[in-house]
Amino acid sequence: MSTIDSHDLNGTTLRRDSTQILSGKYHIYITLALDNISFSIAPRLLFLSATFAMAQATEQSSSCKINLNPDTTDIKYTSYANLVRSVQLRSGHTYRYVFKAPFNSSLPTLLFLHGWPETSYSWVNQIEYFTRHGYGIIAPDMIGTGGTDNPNDLESFTFKRTASEMDELLECEELDQVIGIGHNIGSALLSRLQHYHPNRLSALVFLTLGYSVPGADLTRDFVDATNEATLAAFGYPLLGYWYFNERDDAAVVTDKHLDALYNIAYGTDITWAPNITEVGALERWLHADGRIPFQNEFLTDTTLAQWRTILQAQGGMDGPFKWYRAMMRGYNTADEQALKLSTSPIVTKRSLLIVGDNDPIAIPSIQLNNTVPYIPFLTVRTVPSRHFMQADTARDVNRHLHEFLQSLEK
């Protein structure tokens, strides 16, 4: 049975008989990381030293050639830079990712899937915490972000293709099963990884955004219907900013105002919702170089500078915005239609949903209604956060996640 503690729901009313917001024909599902070779020895030893160094720089795993020393200039000051590697997959895409094996074989490996406008750096607080506790970690920069390739075609940004690449990445690291943890768009990707490659996941964790049923296609029609329904229900459209994110020139505008984007995404202020959810508000905020104060230990001017450094070194916001163009322009539509016809929406694995009780976009009641009916063995927790809970309330998120992982061992 679902585990929902009343003291955790902070007044949220769960309606099991109302799993969707309806608007016309659209069912609204808001699912929304050996340079120093000595040349002072004899030539023969020099050759052997260079050969050894090259061997140390790569690791052969099944058919994958893993680069143990990728370019990490943009993240050299992070706590996990020494854990970063890369690999080229069969698609030709090279993924950069954080990897650490578990301290012992009794502990699982955690797969962290980030959302927008993020990279694997958004998991820094979880990487530090769970490696200290011995868990294995694999946290990729998703396609188009961080040190991972940013292909031109939007087909590369579809959920089915990316789920297949996540499956291949796990195969490269010889990980038969992991516990999947997704946030934002990463939650939707986690759902699709479960649908297309169910044997890879032993348990699922959704942060902020809940489960995405087969057939949930986030096209422009879906966004229009969602905004119409939520404007009527809550007084503002939840996805008004998607229209800007889908535009071809969105990155051109945003790259000139990265600090303003970070502030509106991660800052804590009552003006957060109207400055991002209202249609046109995000672009106005960027042009005005808006600022919101950071109010906790995990969001500082230094974390802003590190986030900005990664983006500026890796091509700016062009890649991250392609996820929205692919979704809204229907690149997932055929896959979603086929998946709906072939796959049960029910997931019987142990799962955790953590919602933010101050999140004005991923509203907890909607996430519960989108998730609870389909995942019978579900634990629900809330944290006093806005949308980016893994940074906003890192201690609470880590505690709930760790308790869930420990419960799986019983």
Side-chain angles (χ1 to χ4, degrees):
M1 297 179 61
S2 303
T3 303
I4 305 177
D5 293 351
S6 59
H7 66 275
D8 280 329
L9 294 182
N10 300 312
T12 298
T13 300
L14 174 62
R15 290 287 305 273
R16 289 181 180 273
D17 60 338
S18 177
T19 60
Q20 303 137 14
I21 294 177
L22 302 181
S23 175
K25 66 179 180 178
Y26 298 104
H27 289 52
I28 308 306
Y29 301 91
I30 311 298
T31 24
L32 258 108
L34 295 168
D35 294 330
N36 300 320
I37 301 172
S38 174
F39 291 95
S40 61
I41 315 179
R44 179 175 176 84
L45 293 179
L46 169 61
F47 172 78
L48 292 174
S49 297
T51 302
F52 176 77
M54 292 178 63
Q56 293 296 305
T58 61
E59 177 180 285
Q60 196 73 25
S61 175
S62 61
S63 61
C64 305
K65 190 175 182 180
I66 298 171
N67 180 5
L68 302 180
N69 291 314
D71 183 7
T72 56
T73 305
D74 57 321
I75 54 172
K76 64 183 179 180
Y77 296 118
T78 65
S79 58
Y80 59 85
N82 63 317
L83 303 178
V84 173
R85 48 179 65 184
S86 67
V87 66
Q88 186 178 62
L89 303 180
R90 288 188 292 269
S91 63
H93 298 156
T94 295
Y95 274 78
R96 191 175 74 177
Y97 58 101
V98 184
F99 178 78
K100 191 176 191 306
F103 185 75
N104 61 61
S105 59
S106 68
L107 292 171
T109 294
L110 312 179
L111 169 66
F112 288 98
L113 303 173
H114 69 77
W116 178 94
E118 303 173 288
T119 67
S120 57
Y121 178 63
S122 68
W123 298 113
V124 60
N125 301 302
Q126 287 68 48
I127 293 169
E128 293 174 356
Y129 178 89
F130 287 102
T131 54
R132 285 198 305 271
H133 287 275
Y135 290 91
I137 296 290
I138 182 164
D141 290 338
M142 303 313 302
I143 195 75
T145 74
T148 292
D149 284 352
N150 177 22
N152 292 322
D153 64 294
L154 293 181
E155 289 87 352
S156 294
F157 293 79
T158 58
F159 290 117
K160 182 178 182 180
R161 186 171 296 191
T162 309
S164 295
E165 292 189 329
M166 293 300 97
D167 177 68
E168 186 181 350
L169 179 60
L170 297 175
E171 182 68 26
C172 287
E173 290 293 352
E174 300 180 349
L175 294 169
D176 293 333
Q177 276 199 326
V178 295
I179 295 172
I181 303 164
H183 171 260
N184 191 269
I185 292 175
S187 290
L189 177 58
L190 177 62
S191 299
R192 294 301 171 261
L193 185 59
Q194 163 62 27
H195 296 139
Y196 289 118
H197 307 280
N199 292 336
R200 286 291 181 197
L201 298 173
S202 60
L204 294 80
V205 178
F206 300 94
L207 304 185
T208 304
L209 291 177
Y211 174 63
S212 179
V213 298
D217 191 14
L218 312 182
T219 62
R220 175 174 284 271
D221 287 341
F222 167 89
V223 173
D224 290 342
T226 298
N227 286 332
E228 178 184 345
T230 55
L231 178 61
F234 304 112
Y236 61 92
L238 296 188
L239 305 180
Y241 65 98
W242 279 48
Y243 302 117
F244 172 76
N245 287 9
E246 184 263 348
R247 280 170 31 187
D248 290 327
D249 68 338
V252 176
V253 175
T254 307
D255 287 348
K256 298 175 183 177
H257 305 281
L258 289 176
D259 287 14
L261 178 62
Y262 188 88
N263 273 257
I264 194 60
Y266 294 95
T268 304
D269 189 274
I270 59 174
T271 64
W272 194 89
N275 279 312
I276 193 169
T277 61
E278 299 288 347
V279 177
L282 177 57
E283 184 175 14
R284 290 193 297 271
W285 175 270
L286 294 173
H287 282 301
D289 268 326
R291 294 292 186 273
I292 293 178
F294 306 129
Q295 296 182 1
N296 72 57
E297 62 184 304
F298 299 107
L299 294 167
T300 68
D301 289 340
T302 301
T303 62
L304 162 60
Q306 179 59 75
W307 175 85
R308 186 198 318 120
T309 296
I310 295 171
L311 280 172
Q312 291 177 333
Q314 304 295 346
M317 287 295 297
D318 175 65
F321 280 128
K322 286 176 182 171
W323 282 93
Y324 287 89
R325 293 204 286 274
M327 287 187 286
M328 292 185 68
R329 297 177 187 181
Y331 280 80
N332 292 292
T333 297
D335 294 336
E336 291 300 326
Q337 291 173 345
L339 191 65
K340 184 176 181 179
L341 295 174
S342 64
T343 305
S344 169
I346 304 301
V347 176
T348 58
K349 295 171 182 175
R350 294 277 303 278
S351 300
L352 172 67
L353 169 64
I354 308 179
V355 292
D357 57 14
N358 297 318
D359 191 333
I361 293 180
I363 293 175
S365 59
I366 297 177
Q367 306 316 311
L368 290 165
N369 287 332
N370 288 344
T371 307
V372 172
Y374 304 103
I375 305 181
F377 303 104
L378 178 69
T379 299
V380 175
R381 297 289 182 265
T382 71
V383 292
S385 77
R386 292 185 178 271
H387 195 66
F388 294 91
M389 62 173 61
Q390 69 270 45
D392 192 14
T393 54
R395 294 187 190 280
D396 292 331
V397 169
N398 291 346
R399 174 170 54 85
H400 289 315
L401 180 51
H402 198 180
E403 289 173 353
F404 175 70
L405 297 175
Q406 290 172 323
S407 75
L408 299 176
E409 302 168 7
K410 299 176 181 178

